[in-house]
Every structure is written in structure tokens, then in C-alpha cells.
Amino acid sequence: MSRPGLLGAGSTIRTRIALVYGGVFLVLGAVLLLLVNLLVRAGTDADAEAIVAGADDVAVVEAYRIGDDVSRAAGEQMLMWSCMALLVVACGAVVVGWWTAGRVLRPVHEMTARARRLSGLDERLDVRGPDDELKELGDTVDALLGRLEAAFDSQRRFIANASHELRTPLATQRAAIQVGLDDSCDVRQVLLDSNLRSERLIDGLLLLARSERGLAEREDVRFGDVVEEEYAHACVRGDGGVVRGSRVLLAQLVRNLVANAVAYNVPGGEVRVRVEAPGVLTVVNTGPVVPPDDVDGLFEPFRRGEGRDRMGPGAGLGLSIVRSIALAHGGAVRAVARSAGDGGGLVVTVTLPVTATPAIGS
């Protein structure tokens, strides 16, 4: 829908371009004709004075009158024909402007038609042609569609996985209730465990949503102090750097990394937590060997390592929350699988931007 303006509602860009083109030409042409007429009038007056100067005394008055009449008639004729020519050429300029605007705006109409035919986010405008502003606009729209497609796909996967995760404990509770509570401690324990797992799942979803929204408020946080509070055996060199962010979320990041390293360990294994550079946290654990191609998938919501039961204590959100918190702080997280010779498991590294603030309140 066109926005109402000086040309009225429903006026198109092509019409406006044509009228502006014709109007500008009319104004500039009028200025040009005014200058030409003034110059011609001045020249005619000079020639008339020269003719009068060559006449005798008797014919001077008549010569002046004839010269004025000739100059006035020539000026009127020139002005009339100039105005008519200007109007004709201005109309031609409007027609040329209309045609030119149509040629220039043809790619825009094609993009609009393609956009109307798009039936899904997986389709693109795919604008072809010279690398100009219109192609840049089309590429920008395609990039936007790509980001929207990725976001909607992520939401669909998240909703599907969340539905599956919530269905399992609810089905367990329903089965336990159908069996009957009576005085069975085992049935009560099953219900309590299932409810506890549901609470943890909901808490994890809320925390994940909070971290993905970004940080409304930030404060200076000594990253090393947070790591030592959450894991007393951590190796921290210096103060770990000062990070601008949420202390609560940073503590949750460390807590999730350590809990994940412990949960996916092997009997007699080890967990090493260290901060060797400002804003860089590394957590290393022993455990099952993870195929390198499966490492990136561990950061997806509800993805668990091999051998983990869906009815276990975890909800499969640990590393997803870690990644979301790191991104909310402008950082990144990377995981590398260890070989069987090194004891298996993962090396997870979180890198957070640190501020230039040397110290905060002791």
C-alpha cells in the first residue's frame, strides 16, 4: 500500500519520478529561457541604437519608434514560441522520465513478484544482474530469510525435543498413578524422582531462555573468583580477568561445565578446571570417546552423550546453557574430543571478553 503524500494516495514511485523529472526540467528550462530572452533583448536594444545613430535628425524619432516596435514584437514572438517549446519538451521529459523510471524500477517489480510467490523460508529471491544497489538489496533480503529460516528451524527442533522430554516423565507419573499409590514407597519415590526431573527441566528451560534474551544489566565480575567459588580445586592464574556481565549466569556456566564433566566421566576418572588466561576457562575430563563429528551436536538442547538415559538426573541442557551464556557475554565456547590414548572425554574451552579494568572491590 502506498503512503499518502503530496501526490495523493496510490501514487507510485514511477509516477513520482516522472513528475519530478519533468518538473525539474521545466524549472531549469524556464530559467534558461529567461536568460536567453534577457540577452536577446539587450542585444536587440544595442542594434536598434546603432541603427538610430546612423539616421538623420528628421528620422530619429521615427527610427526610435520603429526600433522599439521591432524589439517588442521580436521579444513577444520569441517569448511565446519559447514557452510553447518549453511546455512541449517538458511533456516529453515527463514521458522520458516515465520510461526511464520503468526501466530502472523493473528489477524492483521483479523482486516484489518473486517475494509474493515465496511459499516458504527455504526459498530465495536470487536476484541476478550487475552488482549494484538493487542486487545488494536482494542479497540482504535473502540473508534475512536465511537467518529467519535458521531461527524457525531451531525453534521447531527445540519445541519437538521439549515435547518429547516432557512426555516421558508425565507418562511415568500417569503409569504410577494408574498402578495406585497404596503404601508403596517405591511408587512414591518414582513420582518424586519424576517430578524432580520435571522441575529441573523447567528450570533449565527458563535459564536457557533467559540467557538467549541477552543481558539487561551488566556488572564487573572477577571471573577467577567465580570459578573458584563453584569449583574449589580449580587452577586459576591471576584473577582470571574482569568480565562485564551477570555473576549469576557466569556461575551457572561454570557449574554446568563441571557437572557435565562429572556426569560423563568414567569410574576413577578426573576433571581438571583451569583459568590460564584472562577470560579463558578450560574444563578437561576423562570419559567415553566422542566421535569428532558428534561434538558440535552436544551443544544442541536435549542432546546427551552416549549411554545417558533420558530418565537420568540430567535434562540434556547443560552445554546448551553454557553456549547461550557465553554468547550473551559476547564470548564463545569450543569443544574438542580427546582420543582413547588420552583417556577420552572432552576439552571444553570458554573464551569471554575481558575489560581493561584492573581490579574491582576486594
Side-chain angles (χ1 to χ4, degrees):
M1 179 181 293
S2 300
R3 184 177 61 183
L6 296 177
L7 299 177
S11 60
T12 63
I13 295 180
R14 185 177 184 181
T15 303
R16 279 177 274 182
I17 291 177
L19 293 180
V20 169
Y21 187 83
V24 171
F25 180 86
L26 183 63
V27 172
L28 294 179
V31 173
L32 176 62
L33 290 180
L34 178 62
L35 292 176
V36 170
N37 277 272
L38 291 177
L39 293 175
V40 169
R41 184 177 294 275
T44 303
D45 292 342
D47 291 340
E49 290 179 359
I51 294 174
V52 170
D56 54 21
D57 295 337
V58 178
V60 169
V61 176
E62 187 66 19
Y64 269 115
R65 185 182 63 79
I66 294 175
D68 289 341
D69 292 341
V70 171
S71 297
R72 183 169 55 257
E76 291 175 351
Q77 288 292 317
M78 182 173 225
L79 180 61
M80 180 184 68
W81 289 108
S82 297
C83 290
M84 292 179 63
L86 178 61
L87 291 177
V88 172
V89 176
C91 292
V94 172
V95 174
V96 173
W98 175 269
W99 181 83
T100 304
R103 295 276 299 184
V104 173
L105 295 176
R106 182 179 300 171
V108 177
H109 293 302
E110 294 177 355
M111 291 170 56
T112 303
R114 290 179 186 175
R116 288 173 178 169
R117 292 195 300 267
L118 294 180
S119 58
L121 292 175
D122 58 335
E123 301 180 22
R124 299 291 183 269
L125 295 178
D126 193 20
V127 178
R128 302 182 182 278
D131 191 12
D132 54 10
E133 290 81 357
L134 294 177
K135 188 174 187 305
E136 182 181 1
L137 175 61
D139 294 341
T140 302
V141 173
D142 287 343
L144 175 61
L145 291 174
R147 293 193 296 271
L148 289 175
E149 181 185 8
F152 277 100
D153 287 343
S154 177
Q155 277 193 341
R156 281 194 292 265
R157 290 196 306 270
F158 183 83
I159 293 173
N161 289 330
S163 301
H164 185 73
E165 290 289 328
L166 290 173
R167 187 182 299 114
T168 302
L170 292 176
T172 304
Q173 294 177 26
R174 184 174 63 252
I177 293 173
Q178 290 174 349
V179 170
L181 292 176
D182 297 330
D183 295 328
S184 174
C185 294
D186 293 337
V187 174
R188 285 199 297 271
Q189 189 60 43
V190 169
L191 289 175
L192 289 175
D193 292 342
S194 182
N195 286 332
L196 179 60
R197 183 178 180 278
S198 298
E199 291 177 3
R200 289 176 176 172
L201 175 60
I202 293 173
D203 291 340
L205 292 174
L206 291 175
L207 182 60
L208 183 61
R210 177 186 174 188
S211 60
E212 288 183 344
R213 278 200 310 268
L215 303 178
E217 298 180 358
R218 294 176 181 265
E219 60 177 328
D220 289 338
V221 181
R222 286 186 185 272
F223 192 47
D225 294 346
V226 174
V227 175
E228 289 181 331
E229 289 175 3
E230 296 299 326
Y231 191 75
H233 301 291
C235 175
V236 180
R237 296 186 179 180
D239 60 4
V242 177
V243 177
R244 289 284 298 172
S246 169
R247 188 180 188 90
V248 174
L249 290 180
L250 290 174
Q252 186 67 45
L253 179 147
V254 179
R255 193 179 308 127
N256 280 19
L257 279 178
V258 174
N260 187 79
V262 173
Y264 290 93
N265 217 314
V266 294
E270 62 177 357
V271 175
R272 296 195 303 272
V273 180
R274 61 178 183 268
V275 180
E276 296 183 347
V280 180
L281 170 64
T282 303
V283 177
V284 183
N285 74 315
T286 54
V289 177
V290 180
D293 295 337
D294 295 342
V295 172
D296 291 338
L298 296 177
F299 290 94
E300 293 293 329
F302 307 112
R303 289 290 297 272
R304 297 178 176 84
E306 184 178 357
R308 297 294 293 179
D309 185 8
R310 286 188 175 272
M311 290 306 297
L317 295 173
L319 291 182
S320 300
I321 293 175
V322 169
R323 182 178 62 179
S324 296
I325 294 175
L327 292 177
H329 286 79
V333 58
R334 183 174 64 94
V336 178
R338 303 177 71 198
S339 63
D342 294 331
L346 293 173
V347 178
V348 183
T349 303
V350 176
T351 304
L352 300 174
V354 296
T355 66
T357 305
I360 54 181
S362 57

